[in-house]
Amino acid sequence: MTITRRGALGAALATPFVRGAGAQERFPNKPITIQIGFPPGGATDVQMRAFADAATRHLGQTVLIENRPGAGSTLPAANIARARPDGYLLAQLTLPALRLPHMQRMPYDVTKDYTPVIHLTGYLFAVTVRTESPYQTWADLVADAKRRPGQVRIGNTGANGTPHLTMVDLAEREKLDVTHVPFRGEGDLTPALLGGHIEAGATGSGVGQLVDEGKLRFLNVWSRERSPRWPNVPTLLELGYQGMVVTSPYGLVGPAGMPPDIVRTLHDGFKAALDDPTHIAALRRLDMPMEYLNSADYGRFIIETYGEERQRVERLGLRSG
């Protein structure tokens, strides 16, 4: 799934906003925490920490990253739905957070519980194997999985997450019986892959350094075009999988009811951080695209994507609760 770049939000406020009848309160006047749905060490963690460092400079207050892995990367979405709408606790809203409500009861309502702030980026995903693996190509893995039904183990970054469901989709298209092994994130999946505990992994570009070092190998990438960093690796589209472009985009939200002036201040600081050279360098290292949307456009994107995820769940015949 990809999105297009859209227009910017209105110009930044010229002065700090004023709250209350008497005393002036500058926002922010204390650290801001962003919860993310993945453990340390993966692409999300690396990108978001670079973003937070840049945001700290542009907002004038410390921006902290808090790792909350588990529950298919939806814990931040659940936590933020119960938080105070004061702008000091925000969450990464992942694609699984928009998908799982169509599969089971969740402790939040996507259509009511959030204030969109800004959309940031997405992932470069790939099927990855150890360098020692006999699989030199994706076709090699497919052939082995057909010879050994149920014995090829493919790790993913969380049950019902985008890498998991994409592998389910690929297995259905190839009529494969493989074993899907969920982890809490790329940081947990990678050691299992390196240790030979699984035959392959559906990973993000956080493992790119290991690929460059010759410890891992990509069999395919899920972007629309080949990665400039790994130009010899084919895309799913090139391998004949029509319509399969998968980037799992994400952004930042706060609780419902955040005051518009706080949203504007956060948006403008975060937009500056998104465009900061240090953050852009991190995106390039991870091969993650810039996919900016302002607050209003991101709100529309959330609702549209929520509907698209319902269709995905129905198409794949995923169990609903």
Side-chain angles (χ1 to χ4, degrees):
M1 178 180 296
T2 56
I3 58 177
T4 58
R5 184 182 178 96
R6 305 185 189 182
L9 194 64
L13 296 179
T15 58
F17 71 81
V18 179
R19 298 184 64 79
Q24 292 187 351
E25 286 186 25
R26 296 176 64 93
F27 176 87
N29 60 20
K30 61 181 181 180
I32 295 167
T33 298
I34 300 174
Q35 292 187 354
I36 66 174
F38 300 94
T44 308
D45 183 68
V46 173
Q47 179 269 320
M48 285 301 303
R49 289 185 186 277
F51 174 80
D53 287 345
T56 293
R57 294 192 294 275
H58 291 286
L59 285 170
Q61 279 289 343
T62 302
V63 178
L64 303 170
I65 297 301
E66 184 177 329
N67 300 91
R68 290 295 185 93
S73 77
T74 67
L75 289 181
N79 293 339
I80 204 70
R82 301 186 293 271
R84 292 180 58 188
D86 57 9
Y88 289 104
L89 182 62
L90 306 172
Q92 175 202 25
L93 189 67
T94 62
L95 201 56
L98 305 180
R99 177 185 308 129
L100 286 179
H102 302 306
M103 301 171 62
Q104 62 193 61
R105 186 179 298 277
M106 299 297 289
Y108 57 82
D109 185 333
V110 169
T111 66
K112 298 177 181 178
D113 289 345
Y114 303 123
T115 298
V117 177
I118 189 171
H119 193 277
L120 300 175
T121 183
Y123 301 99
L124 176 73
F125 288 121
V127 174
T128 310
V129 297
R130 290 191 302 160
T131 303
E132 300 84 358
S133 169
Y135 307 145
Q136 296 298 315
T137 66
W138 169 247
D140 291 339
L141 187 154
V142 170
D144 189 42
K146 289 183 177 180
R147 283 193 300 267
R148 300 189 299 137
Q151 296 184 54
V152 174
R153 299 160 297 181
I154 302 179
N156 60 68
T157 54
N160 297 316
T162 299
H164 176 206
L165 294 194
T166 301
M167 293 309 303
V168 169
D169 197 347
L170 286 170
E172 286 195 356
R173 293 187 189 212
E174 292 287 354
K175 296 180 172 53
L176 302 180
D177 177 7
V178 298
T179 299
H180 300 281
V181 184
F183 293 86
R184 296 198 309 164
E186 194 173 87
D188 291 342
L189 184 158
T190 303
L193 182 58
L194 288 169
H197 304 293
I198 52 179
E199 279 68 44
T203 69
S205 53
V207 302
Q209 183 174 345
L210 294 172
V211 174
D212 291 340
E213 292 173 354
K215 297 176 181 177
L216 296 176
R217 178 170 60 249
F218 287 151
L219 300 184
N220 55 44
V221 292
W222 303 356
S223 48
R224 184 171 298 279
E225 306 290 341
R226 291 195 182 199
S227 166
R229 185 173 172 184
W230 300 288
N232 294 327
V233 181
T235 67
L236 292 178
L237 292 176
E238 290 177 302
L239 293 173
Y241 300 105
Q242 185 175 2
M244 291 198 73
V245 177
V246 184
T247 63
S248 198
Y250 61 86
L252 301 179
V253 297
M258 284 174 57
D261 45 8
I262 290 180
V263 177
R264 283 196 297 272
T265 298
L266 288 170
H267 168 274
D268 294 340
F270 289 160
K271 179 61 167 66
L274 193 65
D275 293 332
D276 190 283
T278 60
H279 178 250
I280 290 175
L283 289 178
R284 287 174 178 166
R285 285 196 304 273
L286 295 165
D287 276 71
M288 297 174 72
M290 174 85 75
E291 294 193 338
Y292 163 71
L293 293 178
N294 66 41
S295 303
D297 286 341
Y298 184 31
R300 286 187 283 271
F301 172 77
I302 289 172
I303 298 304
E304 291 169 2
T305 306
Y306 181 63
E308 291 169 359
E309 286 304 305
R310 179 190 293 275
Q311 295 175 11
R312 178 200 284 256
V313 167
E314 292 173 352
R315 179 172 56 82
L316 294 178
L318 300 174
R319 184 175 180 178
S320 299

